[in-house]
Amino acid sequence: MTEESGQFSPPTPKGRSTRERIKQAATELFAERGYANVRITDITTAADLSPGAFYRYFDDRRELMLELIREVLAEAYEFARSPMDEQSLITSVLVTTRRYFEFYEQHRALFGLMLELTQTDAEVAEVWFETQRSFYVRISRSLQRGAQRGLVRDDLDTEVAAQLLGSMSEFYAYQRFVLGSEALLKFSVDEAARSLAEVWVNGVGAHDAKADA
Amino acid sequence: MTEESGQFSPPTPKGRSTRERIKQAATELFAERGYANVRITDITTAADLSPGAFYRYFDDRRELMLELIREVLAEAYEFARSPMDEQSLITSVLVTTRRYFEFYEQHRALFGLMLELTQTDAEVAEVWFETQRSFYVRISRSLQRGAQRGLVRDDLDTEVAAQLLGSMSEFYAYQRFVLGSEALLKFSVDEAARSLAEVWVNGVGAHDAKADA
Amino acid sequence: MTEESGQFSPPTPKGRSTRERIKQAATELFAERGYANVRITDITTAADLSPGAFYRYFDDRRELMLELIREVLAEAYEFARSPMDEQSLITSVLVTTRRYFEFYEQHRALFGLMLELTQTDAEVAEVWFETQRSFYVRISRSLQRGAQRGLVRDDLDTEVAAQLLGSMSEFYAYQRFVLGSEALLKFSVDEAARSLAEVWVNGVGAHDAKADA
Amino acid sequence: MTEESGQFSPPTPKGRSTRERIKQAATELFAERGYANVRITDITTAADLSPGAFYRYFDDRRELMLELIREVLAEAYEFARSPMDEQSLITSVLVTTRRYFEFYEQHRALFGLMLELTQTDAEVAEVWFETQRSFYVRISRSLQRGAQRGLVRDDLDTEVAAQLLGSMSEFYAYQRFVLGSEALLKFSVDEAARSLAEVWVNGVGAHDAKADA
DNA sequence: TATGAATGAGTGTTCATTCAT
DNA sequence: GATGAATGAACACTCATTCAT
């Protein structure tokens, strides 16, 4: 009656599978119609359940949504913390970018959800920012290492640069995988990843720029 | 019965001012709470009107929202079409970026609205994409001119590059001005603009990269 | 301010013409969509007026409707009181029926209105019943005269017969002119009138029926 | 999204009984006040339900109304198709008329509803016309058989006659049972039925009319 | 005489949520 | 664990009506 902390863990296998079915159904529906346009009964119907069943597993739609987002961001966080390959800068960036795009595409439903809700839901914003931070930190560190080895301009503010470069990847992925922006579809994901790596590496690389000649 | 297309144009000054008041109130409320959390009566109350008054001027909340977004994007479109200064590449990018950030900050309420809704509302997506396209075209052309003058690498795919660079600016602006992301606030807008211009120019500039040495 | 009895009589010619325009527009709209589906603004729009103008001439929609119905029924009442031709019974009935159908067709909009509203509006029912009564009286008297001359069965209850015969004409007219019932359209109005007169005259006529032989 | 055609069929007995309660309550209210003056909350209140419950069983007021009318007309249709007694013409007509009046009186609420709405609702008109058609066909056939046996004038257009005679019965019933027209109440239903049968039989019977002597 | 802006009560409808079965 | 009936607050939207201009 009065238990209200944390998420409900069903004791039986049947219960656990039902809970998963709800999450699965919700993910698909959110992707199709957006959070605002999905009713709880839509979810239960899609999961082949009665309306009442929902409340055995979640308090409300928001709780379910938060759980979904937390899960994907936790995975992304791990992803961001995995060791960076000690290859050449451009290869390294390329590999990372490709993996990132793969991950983003696979979870596009939830990334879309996140972007629909960050402005409105402080908790969504918070978990997202936290994950971003870990990405930015990772990029920033990588840039610092590059600077030490003379591969990266040493006058570069690695923090801002990391934010900018991260933004570029994330927004490109958002537009491509979530919005399906036609303009971007002219090029393959791989071409985009390659261009991105080039711009990135050049953007921060040490060299004799002629740009302002 | 008969399709009423286009928007209602009040014949009297009083009507016109009321219509504007509604738009103003709505913009503010959308910014504060997000589209999904604003009721029509919230808008009319904020505009000091009775609920019914809304429907004299708009069919529904969506129509109003679309008009707001269309307007700001039309302005942005003009902005994107204004001639690019024939200065040095980096100065040019810097100036443009600053102006873009200014514009974005000033209209952050509506850009936020747009990002909340693109996934859900096809018409929002469409007008936004169209505006983006004009930005991308502009950037792309500018890169081509740069390549002809030897300022920009000639092996660069200017279209993808334009999309990537545009993405970087837009998402940075979104995170900074709409979400108010703390991580970004460590640096001033001007620093960000400067870094962005540098990364950008270097990213595409002709030079002797040492990155892969 | 406090004048509230009877209907408003506009002092100026312009006012009078506007009042008529409203009545005209209302009649047409009621015919097209039925009373329940006509808004006051529909009427004023059709009459090329602003919503407020309506209230200069009528208290509300019901008052206007009642006036329209009263007018047509007053005319019908006069029609019912006009002297019956002293011709042969069948010719007389035929002529009357034809005239009745003509009148009904011409005013089908208002007869339809009446039938939509009698169940609901006691005043409509009352004025209609009164008019019917005068029709029934007339038919009844005519039957009595016929009986005196040996043209009509003398065992006939002329009152009930009058009601039945009146019902037949009125409902036929309603179905044909108001509802436009397709089934009835197979025959011309004239054929229907002729058949009606025959059935009628035979139905009440003195004769040696073989029906129950 | 997907068109939900047909009516909702509650899976449990409780649901079925609630659905019936709504229909019952609606029928009574429509009879009392007319369709236009019955709110959905009036119905749910009368059925001892909350407003929302209505929508579990019906899409809107119109759907409910259509179902009620369809049901009564389906029953009437069966009634009209039941075999005609092979008695003397007048007895046969009398018996049928009495049964028809009984049926009409019993369902006066819905016949009233029908007449309020035929002008406005094309679907109501359609189902009504169809039922009428079956009545007319039946009368027409009966007249044809009578003509073959010499009981009915052979110069009679049985189709028009059937329409006229049907109209007479139907409208009489409408005025008497739905409107409760005072003028008609002077005579008992039985007297009316008898007179109607007489007029009817004489109206179409073979005989030596003196009417035009 | 006419306009059109504004009102606000009234109503239909949705949907998260509860609960008896 | 699951159902589905029922609730009722919330909200969108309509439209008769008033009134300053």
Side-chain angles (χ1 to χ4, degrees), chain B residues 162-204:
Chain B
Q163 289 165 3
L164 291 168
L165 297 170
S167 294
M168 182 159 62
S169 311
E170 183 161 10
F171 201 49
Y172 184 86
Y174 171 65
Q175 288 186 88
R176 170 143 206 154
F177 303 121
V178 174
L179 302 184
S181 164
E182 273 185 46
L184 311 197
L185 297 179
K186 281 167 119 173
F187 309 95
S188 71
V189 173
D190 209 69
E191 283 169 322
R194 189 169 303 276
S195 292
L196 198 148
E198 275 170 23
V199 169
W200 185 311
V201 167
N202 283 304
V204 300

Tab-separated table of all heavy atoms in Angstrom, chain B residues 162-204:
chain	number	residue	atom	x	y	z
B	162	ALA	N	28.859	21.344	-45.160
B	162	ALA	CA	27.915	22.399	-44.798
B	162	ALA	C	26.911	21.885	-43.779
B	162	ALA	O	26.586	22.560	-42.794
B	162	ALA	CB	27.186	22.905	-46.041
B	163	GLN	N	26.425	20.680	-44.020
B	163	GLN	CA	25.464	20.114	-43.068
B	163	GLN	C	26.089	19.932	-41.693
B	163	GLN	O	25.482	20.238	-40.660
B	163	GLN	CB	24.953	18.759	-43.583
B	163	GLN	CG	24.031	18.897	-44.792
B	163	GLN	CD	23.835	17.563	-45.504
B	163	GLN	OE1	24.347	16.544	-45.059
B	163	GLN	NE2	23.088	17.592	-46.594
B	164	LEU	N	27.312	19.455	-41.700
B	164	LEU	CA	27.967	19.205	-40.419
B	164	LEU	C	28.248	20.510	-39.679
B	164	LEU	O	27.974	20.630	-38.480
B	164	LEU	CB	29.279	18.453	-40.651
B	164	LEU	CG	29.113	17.011	-41.141
B	164	LEU	CD1	30.438	16.458	-41.629
B	164	LEU	CD2	28.539	16.138	-40.033
B	165	LEU	N	28.737	21.467	-40.407
B	165	LEU	CA	29.057	22.742	-39.763
B	165	LEU	C	27.791	23.440	-39.289
B	165	LEU	O	27.738	24.007	-38.197
B	165	LEU	CB	29.850	23.616	-40.732
B	165	LEU	CG	31.209	23.010	-41.115
B	165	LEU	CD1	31.841	23.788	-42.264
B	165	LEU	CD2	32.136	22.967	-39.914
B	166	GLY	N	26.758	23.366	-40.117
B	166	GLY	CA	25.468	23.948	-39.722
B	166	GLY	C	24.940	23.273	-38.476
B	166	GLY	O	24.482	23.933	-37.534
B	167	SER	N	25.039	21.957	-38.453
B	167	SER	CA	24.574	21.207	-37.292
B	167	SER	C	25.277	21.667	-36.029
B	167	SER	O	24.660	21.845	-34.979
B	167	SER	CB	24.839	19.715	-37.476
B	167	SER	OG	24.061	19.196	-38.525
B	168	MET	N	26.571	21.845	-36.155
B	168	MET	CA	27.348	22.252	-34.998
B	168	MET	C	26.823	23.557	-34.418
B	168	MET	O	26.576	23.663	-33.220
B	168	MET	CB	28.812	22.402	-35.414
B	168	MET	CG	29.730	22.779	-34.297
B	168	MET	SD	31.439	22.347	-34.704
B	168	MET	CE	31.748	23.354	-36.145
B	169	SER	N	26.628	24.540	-35.279
B	169	SER	CA	26.154	25.840	-34.799
B	169	SER	C	24.758	25.732	-34.203
B	169	SER	O	24.458	26.248	-33.130
B	169	SER	CB	26.099	26.857	-35.939
B	169	SER	OG	27.302	26.852	-36.648
B	170	GLU	N	23.909	25.045	-34.937
B	170	GLU	CA	22.515	25.026	-34.517
B	170	GLU	C	22.343	24.309	-33.182
B	170	GLU	O	21.640	24.768	-32.299
B	170	GLU	CB	21.648	24.357	-35.589
B	170	GLU	CG	20.178	24.404	-35.206
B	170	GLU	CD	19.265	24.196	-36.402
B	170	GLU	OE1	19.762	23.833	-37.485
B	170	GLU	OE2	18.051	24.409	-36.242
B	171	PHE	N	23.018	23.176	-33.049
B	171	PHE	CA	22.826	22.424	-31.825
B	171	PHE	C	23.488	23.107	-30.649
B	171	PHE	O	22.963	23.087	-29.533
B	171	PHE	CB	23.367	20.998	-31.994
B	171	PHE	CG	22.786	20.046	-31.009
B	171	PHE	CD1	21.404	19.990	-30.800
B	171	PHE	CD2	23.597	19.176	-30.292
B	171	PHE	CE1	20.863	19.089	-29.888
B	171	PHE	CE2	23.060	18.276	-29.383
B	171	PHE	CZ	21.692	18.236	-29.181
B	172	TYR	N	24.617	23.713	-30.926
B	172	TYR	CA	25.243	24.461	-29.846
B	172	TYR	C	24.287	25.549	-29.359
B	172	TYR	O	24.073	25.718	-28.150
B	172	TYR	CB	26.569	25.088	-30.297
B	172	TYR	CG	27.280	25.777	-29.166
B	172	TYR	CD1	28.121	25.064	-28.312
B	172	TYR	CD2	27.073	27.124	-28.909
B	172	TYR	CE1	28.735	25.681	-27.244
B	172	TYR	CE2	27.684	27.757	-27.836
B	172	TYR	CZ	28.517	27.036	-27.009
B	172	TYR	OH	29.122	27.641	-25.937
B	173	ALA	N	23.693	26.257	-30.299
B	173	ALA	CA	22.756	27.324	-29.946
B	173	ALA	C	21.565	26.761	-29.185
B	173	ALA	O	21.110	27.335	-28.185
B	173	ALA	CB	22.268	28.049	-31.211
B	174	TYR	N	21.079	25.645	-29.642
B	174	TYR	CA	19.920	25.029	-28.972
B	174	TYR	C	20.255	24.687	-27.525
B	174	TYR	O	19.498	25.012	-26.604
B	174	TYR	CB	19.501	23.763	-29.726
B	174	TYR	CG	18.462	22.955	-28.999
B	174	TYR	CD1	17.172	23.450	-28.774
B	174	TYR	CD2	18.758	21.674	-28.523
B	174	TYR	CE1	16.217	22.700	-28.108
B	174	TYR	CE2	17.806	20.913	-27.853
B	174	TYR	CZ	16.540	21.439	-27.645
B	174	TYR	OH	15.596	20.697	-26.984
B	175	GLN	N	21.390	24.062	-27.351
B	175	GLN	CA	21.753	23.665	-25.997
B	175	GLN	C	22.005	24.872	-25.110
B	175	GLN	O	21.620	24.897	-23.950
B	175	GLN	CB	23.010	22.788	-26.036
B	175	GLN	CG	22.727	21.420	-26.584
B	175	GLN	CD	23.957	20.540	-26.472
B	175	GLN	OE1	24.190	19.873	-25.465
B	175	GLN	NE2	24.778	20.571	-27.512
B	176	ARG	N	22.608	25.847	-25.702
B	176	ARG	CA	22.964	27.002	-24.889
B	176	ARG	C	21.758	27.909	-24.607
B	176	ARG	O	21.489	28.258	-23.471
B	176	ARG	CB	24.036	27.811	-25.614
B	176	ARG	CG	24.317	29.154	-24.973
B	176	ARG	CD	25.761	29.536	-25.025
B	176	ARG	NE	26.088	30.447	-23.948
B	176	ARG	CZ	27.301	30.568	-23.423
B	176	ARG	NH1	28.292	29.830	-23.864
B	176	ARG	NH2	27.514	31.412	-22.446
B	177	PHE	N	21.040	28.263	-25.656
B	177	PHE	CA	19.994	29.274	-25.471
B	177	PHE	C	18.641	28.701	-25.077
B	177	PHE	O	17.869	29.343	-24.375
B	177	PHE	CB	19.874	30.134	-26.732
B	177	PHE	CG	21.162	30.789	-27.110
B	177	PHE	CD1	21.762	30.559	-28.344
B	177	PHE	CD2	21.793	31.633	-26.209
B	177	PHE	CE1	22.961	31.158	-28.684
B	177	PHE	CE2	23.007	32.246	-26.534
B	177	PHE	CZ	23.591	32.000	-27.773
B	178	VAL	N	18.364	27.507	-25.551
B	178	VAL	CA	17.073	26.932	-25.188
B	178	VAL	C	17.185	26.137	-23.886
B	178	VAL	O	16.432	26.353	-22.948
B	178	VAL	CB	16.515	26.039	-26.317
B	178	VAL	CG1	15.243	25.350	-25.854
B	178	VAL	CG2	16.253	26.867	-27.565
B	179	LEU	N	18.142	25.223	-23.873
B	179	LEU	CA	18.236	24.368	-22.691
B	179	LEU	C	19.011	25.026	-21.557
B	179	LEU	O	18.877	24.639	-20.403
B	179	LEU	CB	18.906	23.039	-23.071
B	179	LEU	CG	18.207	22.241	-24.171
B	179	LEU	CD1	18.920	20.905	-24.375
B	179	LEU	CD2	16.740	21.994	-23.826
B	180	GLY	N	19.795	26.004	-21.914
B	180	GLY	CA	20.585	26.661	-20.863
B	180	GLY	C	21.558	25.704	-20.206
B	180	GLY	O	21.831	25.819	-19.009
B	181	SER	N	22.025	24.779	-20.998
B	181	SER	CA	22.949	23.762	-20.484
B	181	SER	C	24.108	24.385	-19.706
B	181	SER	O	24.882	25.187	-20.231
B	181	SER	CB	23.506	22.973	-21.669
B	181	SER	OG	24.635	22.251	-21.281
B	182	GLU	N	24.217	23.997	-18.465
B	182	GLU	CA	25.238	24.586	-17.598
B	182	GLU	C	26.654	24.407	-18.125
B	182	GLU	O	27.484	25.301	-18.029
B	182	GLU	CB	25.155	23.967	-16.209
B	182	GLU	CG	24.152	24.687	-15.328
B	182	GLU	CD	24.199	24.100	-13.924
B	182	GLU	OE1	25.321	23.915	-13.400
B	182	GLU	OE2	23.126	23.804	-13.387
B	183	ALA	N	26.898	23.225	-18.633
B	183	ALA	CA	28.242	22.921	-19.105
B	183	ALA	C	28.731	23.993	-20.086
B	183	ALA	O	29.896	24.382	-20.074
B	183	ALA	CB	28.264	21.548	-19.780
B	184	LEU	N	27.805	24.469	-20.904
B	184	LEU	CA	28.200	25.438	-21.923
B	184	LEU	C	28.404	26.840	-21.362
B	184	LEU	O	29.068	27.680	-21.962
B	184	LEU	CB	27.164	25.503	-23.048
B	184	LEU	CG	26.687	24.196	-23.662
B	184	LEU	CD1	26.020	24.474	-24.990
B	184	LEU	CD2	27.830	23.212	-23.863
B	185	LEU	N	27.795	27.070	-20.218
B	185	LEU	CA	27.807	28.434	-19.700
B	185	LEU	C	29.171	28.844	-19.126
B	185	LEU	O	29.370	30.017	-18.795
B	185	LEU	CB	26.720	28.601	-18.640
B	185	LEU	CG	25.297	28.400	-19.180
B	185	LEU	CD1	24.267	28.562	-18.076
B	185	LEU	CD2	25.018	29.396	-20.317
B	186	LYS	N	30.052	27.907	-19.024
B	186	LYS	CA	31.392	28.239	-18.539
B	186	LYS	C	32.075	29.248	-19.447
B	186	LYS	O	32.961	29.984	-19.035
B	186	LYS	CB	32.277	26.979	-18.520
B	186	LYS	CG	32.024	26.077	-17.341
B	186	LYS	CD	32.694	24.751	-17.592
B	186	LYS	CE	33.760	24.424	-16.563
B	186	LYS	NZ	34.265	23.032	-16.772
B	187	PHE	N	31.679	29.238	-20.715
B	187	PHE	CA	32.305	30.153	-21.667
B	187	PHE	C	31.282	31.155	-22.167
B	187	PHE	O	30.094	30.850	-22.250
B	187	PHE	CB	32.870	29.361	-22.848
B	187	PHE	CG	33.731	28.232	-22.389
B	187	PHE	CD1	33.211	26.952	-22.245
B	187	PHE	CD2	35.070	28.458	-22.049
B	187	PHE	CE1	34.002	25.916	-21.783
B	187	PHE	CE2	35.866	27.416	-21.588
B	187	PHE	CZ	35.336	26.152	-21.456
B	188	SER	N	31.760	32.321	-22.494
B	188	SER	CA	30.846	33.335	-23.007
B	188	SER	C	30.427	32.964	-24.423
B	188	SER	O	31.089	32.174	-25.094
B	188	SER	CB	31.540	34.699	-23.032
B	188	SER	OG	32.516	34.696	-24.058
B	189	VAL	N	29.323	33.546	-24.826
B	189	VAL	CA	28.852	33.312	-26.185
B	189	VAL	C	29.940	33.687	-27.174
B	189	VAL	O	30.158	33.015	-28.180
B	189	VAL	CB	27.574	34.135	-26.466
B	189	VAL	CG1	27.182	34.017	-27.930
B	189	VAL	CG2	26.448	33.686	-25.559
B	190	ASP	N	30.641	34.744	-26.848
B	190	ASP	CA	31.660	35.208	-27.772
B	190	ASP	C	32.820	34.227	-27.892
B	190	ASP	O	33.305	33.945	-28.994
B	190	ASP	CB	32.178	36.573	-27.327
B	190	ASP	CG	32.647	37.354	-28.518
B	190	ASP	OD1	31.782	37.748	-29.332
B	190	ASP	OD2	33.881	37.505	-28.663
B	191	GLU	N	33.227	33.698	-26.779
B	191	GLU	CA	34.280	32.682	-26.829
B	191	GLU	C	33.832	31.497	-27.668
B	191	GLU	O	34.579	30.950	-28.478
B	191	GLU	CB	34.606	32.197	-25.412
B	191	GLU	CG	35.473	33.169	-24.623
B	191	GLU	CD	35.542	32.794	-23.151
B	191	GLU	OE1	34.508	32.350	-22.588
B	191	GLU	OE2	36.625	32.957	-22.557
B	192	ALA	N	32.602	31.087	-27.426
B	192	ALA	CA	32.079	29.954	-28.180
B	192	ALA	C	32.094	30.262	-29.674
B	192	ALA	O	32.511	29.446	-30.490
B	192	ALA	CB	30.665	29.618	-27.716
B	193	ALA	N	31.633	31.470	-30.012
B	193	ALA	CA	31.587	31.847	-31.422
B	193	ALA	C	32.991	31.822	-32.017
B	193	ALA	O	33.208	31.348	-33.135
B	193	ALA	CB	30.960	33.235	-31.578
B	194	ARG	N	33.929	32.316	-31.269
B	194	ARG	CA	35.303	32.349	-31.745
B	194	ARG	C	35.857	30.931	-31.958
B	194	ARG	O	36.390	30.595	-33.017
B	194	ARG	CB	36.173	33.118	-30.745
B	194	ARG	CG	37.591	33.406	-31.218
B	194	ARG	CD	38.291	34.391	-30.282
B	194	ARG	NE	37.547	35.653	-30.164
B	194	ARG	CZ	37.651	36.668	-31.036
B	194	ARG	NH1	38.471	36.557	-32.077
B	194	ARG	NH2	36.956	37.757	-30.864
B	195	SER	N	35.650	30.093	-30.961
B	195	SER	CA	36.115	28.704	-31.081
B	195	SER	C	35.437	28.036	-32.265
B	195	SER	O	36.050	27.305	-33.041
B	195	SER	CB	35.778	27.919	-29.812
B	195	SER	OG	36.554	28.390	-28.732
B	196	LEU	N	34.169	28.289	-32.376
B	196	LEU	CA	33.429	27.668	-33.461
B	196	LEU	C	33.994	28.086	-34.801
B	196	LEU	O	34.214	27.259	-35.702
B	196	LEU	CB	31.949	28.049	-33.352
B	196	LEU	CG	30.994	27.162	-34.141
B	196	LEU	CD1	29.656	27.066	-33.432
B	196	LEU	CD2	30.816	27.661	-35.560
B	197	ALA	N	34.271	29.359	-34.923
B	197	ALA	CA	34.822	29.856	-36.183
B	197	ALA	C	36.180	29.224	-36.469
B	197	ALA	O	36.486	28.843	-37.601
B	197	ALA	CB	34.919	31.380	-36.146
B	198	GLU	N	36.966	29.093	-35.435
B	198	GLU	CA	38.291	28.494	-35.630
B	198	GLU	C	38.208	27.045	-36.081
B	198	GLU	O	38.812	26.627	-37.053
B	198	GLU	CB	39.090	28.553	-34.326
B	198	GLU	CG	39.808	29.874	-34.138
B	198	GLU	CD	40.381	29.997	-32.731
B	198	GLU	OE1	40.609	28.945	-32.078
B	198	GLU	OE2	40.579	31.144	-32.265
B	199	VAL	N	37.442	26.282	-35.305
B	199	VAL	CA	37.278	24.876	-35.657
B	199	VAL	C	36.768	24.765	-37.081
B	199	VAL	O	37.228	23.948	-37.869
B	199	VAL	CB	36.300	24.189	-34.687
B	199	VAL	CG1	35.913	22.806	-35.198
B	199	VAL	CG2	36.919	24.085	-33.291
B	200	TRP	N	35.839	25.571	-37.353
B	200	TRP	CA	35.197	25.570	-38.661
B	200	TRP	C	36.203	25.849	-39.772
B	200	TRP	O	36.389	25.060	-40.710
B	200	TRP	CB	34.111	26.641	-38.626
B	200	TRP	CG	33.236	26.768	-39.805
B	200	TRP	CD1	33.592	26.850	-41.106
B	200	TRP	CD2	31.819	26.820	-39.773
B	200	TRP	NE1	32.506	26.960	-41.888
B	200	TRP	CE2	31.382	26.951	-41.104
B	200	TRP	CE3	30.870	26.803	-38.765
B	200	TRP	CZ2	30.030	27.042	-41.441
B	200	TRP	CZ3	29.543	26.906	-39.109
B	200	TRP	CH2	29.132	27.015	-40.431
B	201	VAL	N	36.833	26.991	-39.623
B	201	VAL	CA	37.777	27.401	-40.668
B	201	VAL	C	38.905	26.387	-40.808
B	201	VAL	O	39.281	26.002	-41.908
B	201	VAL	CB	38.332	28.803	-40.366
B	201	VAL	CG1	39.536	29.093	-41.257
B	201	VAL	CG2	37.249	29.844	-40.561
B	202	ASN	N	39.430	25.953	-39.679
B	202	ASN	CA	40.492	24.953	-39.751
B	202	ASN	C	39.981	23.648	-40.319
B	202	ASN	O	40.657	22.971	-41.076
B	202	ASN	CB	41.068	24.698	-38.363
B	202	ASN	CG	42.002	25.820	-37.957
B	202	ASN	OD1	42.962	26.113	-38.671
B	202	ASN	ND2	41.690	26.474	-36.846
B	203	GLY	N	38.774	23.328	-39.917
B	203	GLY	CA	38.194	22.064	-40.347
B	203	GLY	C	38.100	21.946	-41.846
B	203	GLY	O	38.206	20.860	-42.406
B	204	VAL	N	37.893	23.052	-42.485
B	204	VAL	CA	37.710	22.993	-43.925
B	204	VAL	C	38.848	23.645	-44.690
B	204	VAL	O	38.922	23.539	-45.909
B	204	VAL	CB	36.383	23.690	-44.315
B	204	VAL	CG1	35.212	22.989	-43.643
B	204	VAL	CG2	36.426	25.173	-43.957
